[in-house]
Amino acid sequence: MNEALPDVPEVRVVGLPQLTSGFDLVERLDLPMHLKVHGPLEPMGGEQLAQLSEAISLKGRGGAGFPFHKKLRSVADAAIKRGVRPVVVVNGSEDEPACRKDTVLINRAPHLILDGALLCAEALGARTLVIGVTRESTQRSMEAALAERGLSNSRRSALRASVQRNPVRMVTGAAASLIRSIDGGPAIPPGRKVSASQNGVGGAPTLLSNAETFAQLAIAARIGPERYGHTGLYDEPGTVMLTVSGAVARPMVLEVPTGVPLRYVLQLAGAPPVPQGVLTGGYHGKWIDAATVNEAIVSRNSLDAVGGALGAGAILPISQETCPLGESLRVAQWLAEESAGQCGPCYLGLPAAARGLEDVLNGGGPAALEALKQVAKSVKRRGACSHPDGSAMFLESTVKAFTDDLAAHVLGNGCGRPVEGVLPLFEGGRAPTGIPGGAEPEETGSSRQKIYVDWTLCRGHGLCADILPEVFELGADGFPTVAQAQVPRYAEAKAVRAVRRCPALALRIEEETPRDRAPARNLPVVSQGRGRRALGR
């Protein structure tokens, strides 16, 4: 099984280093060493900074890829129009198990990130700078960097600078989640679409971007757009930070110029010569097959053109010896657990989609596959944040990329290959909350409880599906689609409530002994769209 990635894995560079300059000298560049390696940085005006960003085609490196110059101008215009001071926020929340490039930068080159953020703060006239992190190591490094610069959150400071530590959760990295937490709320999306550039921290226009984005800006400000453009592609100049893991001999973070062949990146990390597939962009990304890998180069446009995604810069190959659908199921289950739990398409839809993929793996046939496609389609563009959209994209890409394996599971007895767990997840399957006062991780996995439907009593009231959607869904006839099912450990209390509240007294719970557990593949908790066929094989 693949272990969780460390905060700071091995770091390598292809070509001349820019963001990783000095990494061969010290483990962490403190302020004196940072200045020796990179030199001083002169302030720039707001429009000058926007023109620089536009000249180097700088886009956000957190996944969305929004042009930085547009965001910068939008914040400046809103601040001037309203007559208020804007806020600058660095998003260093890197909460995907397969991503470490921002964590590496914060731990090893925090002043390069601060250079870019302080350039923007001075150009915009901001008086507040917040760096959002989720890990203990990144909090320590960034707080030390602020102290080295003499920056603090004191009311008497010309620029109030602070570090905002949030729990390690997938949804924490959303811009709206970070802003909400800075304002004193929970680190989850607020459920309404509001532009941070117009109405961010404290209602002020807020320039929020990814940690690597600010570091790239600091490099460009020092060397100028012409020299910056000498590295990488003409339309996407500069370098890219990648996290390469999965079925590789050496998980690592790489700084590479845009335009480098993707197969070369995989070769450096010790990936299989002919991978079965490569997940690009992380767990909100897309799979590409082995043939496509040979066509792809490291750039946003190239990966988009071949059906992949640069996303958050995570690259994960898998070998020919593992079941790709089983590997994807582990990720789908984790994505479902990472829901903020505040909107139906995410809280109910993602677990249903994961169960649908499990049903396909367990021989559910064409009906199960069709049900999975429908669930994935139904959650898109209906959530409070982008988590349902990214998760659905991952599932749809899985179905599209591995058609042969899908046919083996849908039409036959499966592909016969094991699930090796090569796609990294957090230890125990969930992310640690990481801070005092953070929510405790939910218990996951199946309990020893099984819930049963007595068909002689059931009258189709549907209350069980309302109380326990993790287990029950209603068929077209209004009755539950399963007669018995394992209860997830986290849903035990709800299962008891469903039994007590069933008007027909048609439900019961029984404790399962270890000898009762089937050694082979079990039926999934919920069967998607199979009606009474779900009662057995």
Side-chain angles (χ1 to χ4, degrees):
M1 300 290 283
N2 202 328
E3 297 180 357
L5 293 174
D7 278 10
V8 183
E10 177 186 354
V11 179
R12 296 189 65 178
V13 61
V14 175
L16 295 176
Q18 290 187 359
L19 302 179
T20 58
S21 293
F23 281 23
D24 57 333
L25 303 175
V26 291
E27 284 299 309
R28 178 183 180 275
L29 280 74
D30 59 13
L31 185 57
M33 180 58 74
H34 168 74
L35 292 174
K36 286 181 182 178
V37 170
H38 292 285
L41 182 60
E42 297 297 324
M44 301 175 69
E47 182 55 29
Q48 187 181 7
L49 205 56
Q51 290 176 1
L52 171 65
S53 304
E54 188 171 8
I56 64 171
S57 301
L58 181 60
K59 295 182 178 179
R61 301 299 178 92
F66 190 80
F68 188 78
H69 70 93
K70 292 184 178 180
K71 189 180 293 186
L72 189 63
R73 288 190 173 108
S74 178
V75 172
D77 291 345
I80 292 170
K81 185 177 180 179
R82 293 170 53 187
V84 297
R85 295 276 189 183
V87 176
V88 175
V89 176
V90 177
N91 193 349
S93 309
E94 195 169 41
D95 306 317
E96 219 178 292
C99 295
R100 289 296 184 276
K101 52 107 173 171
D102 290 323
T103 301
V104 163
L105 286 175
I106 295 174
N107 274 287
R108 301 197 62 181
H111 289 285
L112 199 58
I113 299 166
L114 286 179
D115 278 346
L118 292 171
L119 266 180
C120 294
E122 186 164 355
L124 293 169
R127 292 293 178 262
T128 303
L129 168 64
V130 183
I131 301 96
V133 299
T134 52
R135 303 174 186 273
E136 183 181 353
S137 63
T138 50
Q139 180 183 10
R140 286 200 309 266
S141 180
M142 194 53 78
E143 286 179 344
L146 292 179
E148 288 164 7
R149 289 182 181 249
L151 296 171
S152 71
N153 198 27
S154 170
R155 293 181 179 273
R156 292 173 293 181
S157 301
L159 175 70
R160 298 183 63 178
S162 61
V163 176
Q164 173 71 26
R165 175 88 177 274
N166 289 326
V168 179
R169 292 290 308 278
M170 186 75 166
V171 295
T172 302
S177 300
L178 180 53
I179 289 172
R180 191 177 185 186
S181 70
I182 294 170
D183 283 338
I188 58 177
R192 61 184 185 279
K193 306 291 185 182
V194 179
S195 169
S197 299
Q198 304 299 313
N199 189 0
V201 175
T206 299
L207 178 68
L208 186 149
S209 201
N210 167 262
E212 184 193 341
T213 312
F214 285 108
Q216 293 283 0
L217 183 65
I219 293 293
R222 279 185 169 89
I223 66 177
E226 183 177 353
R227 185 177 162 194
Y228 187 94
H230 289 166
T231 300
L233 299 170
Y234 172 76
D235 57 342
E236 292 183 54
T239 62
V240 175
M241 295 288 286
L242 302 173
T243 311
V244 187
S245 63
V248 297
R250 300 176 301 280
M252 62 179 62
V253 168
L254 281 145
E255 182 182 13
V256 303
T258 55
V260 168
L262 181 59
R263 64 179 180 274
Y264 181 65
V265 169
L266 296 172
Q267 180 184 344
L268 287 176
V274 184
Q276 182 174 190
V278 178
L279 181 58
T280 58
Y283 295 160
H284 278 179
K286 298 179 181 180
W287 289 99
I288 58 176
D289 59 26
T292 306
V293 169
N294 292 325
E295 304 172 18
I297 62 175
V298 177
S299 84
R300 188 176 301 277
N301 292 337
S302 170
L303 288 171
D304 286 346
V306 297
L310 179 61
I315 305 294
L316 301 106
I318 60 171
S319 71
Q320 300 282 352
E321 286 73 43
T322 188
C323 173
L325 300 180
E327 297 291 343
S328 297
L329 175 60
R330 294 176 64 248
V331 175
Q333 291 169 335
W334 179 80
L335 289 169
E337 291 172 351
E338 286 300 289
S339 168
Q342 60 179 356
C343 63
C346 190
Y347 175 58
L348 300 178
L350 295 187
R355 291 193 298 267
L357 181 56
E358 185 177 23
D359 201 10
V360 170
L361 281 166
N362 285 344
L369 176 59
E370 186 59 32
L372 168 61
K373 291 179 179 179
Q374 289 300 319
V375 172
K377 182 179 179 180
S378 68
V379 303
K380 290 191 296 186
R381 294 180 293 278
R382 294 175 57 213
C385 67
S386 61
H387 182 55
D389 296 345
S391 302
M393 182 169 68
F394 168 78
L395 283 164
E396 290 176 336
S397 174
T398 300
V399 170
K400 184 178 179 181
F402 302 109
T403 53
D404 290 345
D405 294 87
L406 199 63
H409 284 278
V410 171
L411 303 176
N413 295 320
C415 66
R417 287 174 289 185
V419 178
E420 298 176 335
V422 297
L423 301 180
L425 296 173
F426 288 115
E427 196 170 335
R430 289 188 59 82
T433 59
I435 59 171
E440 290 298 319
E442 297 175 4
E443 291 186 290
T444 59
S446 60
S447 70
R448 293 176 57 185
Q449 291 184 353
K450 291 188 78 171
I451 192 165
Y452 293 82
V453 178
D454 185 337
W455 294 116
T456 65
L457 297 175
C458 181
R459 295 294 178 264
H461 294 96
L463 197 61
C464 58
D466 291 337
I467 297 175
L468 199 59
E470 296 90 341
V471 171
F472 292 113
E473 65 175 8
L474 302 181
D477 56 1
F479 285 82
T481 58
V482 293
Q484 63 184 44
Q486 203 82 37
V487 178
R489 191 170 300 146
Y490 67 86
E492 286 178 343
K494 290 201 289 184
V496 172
R497 189 159 67 250
V499 169
R500 290 174 177 171
R501 294 186 61 186
C502 177
L505 303 179
L507 299 177
R508 74 179 190 277
I509 291 174
E510 292 183 6
E511 289 288 327
E512 185 182 31
T513 62
R515 69 178 60 184
D516 293 331
R517 292 183 179 268
R521 299 180 306 181
N522 292 323
L523 285 171
V525 173
V526 174
S527 171
Q528 293 291 330
R530 294 171 61 191
R532 296 296 178 89
R533 285 184 57 199
L535 300 182
R537 288 191 192 171

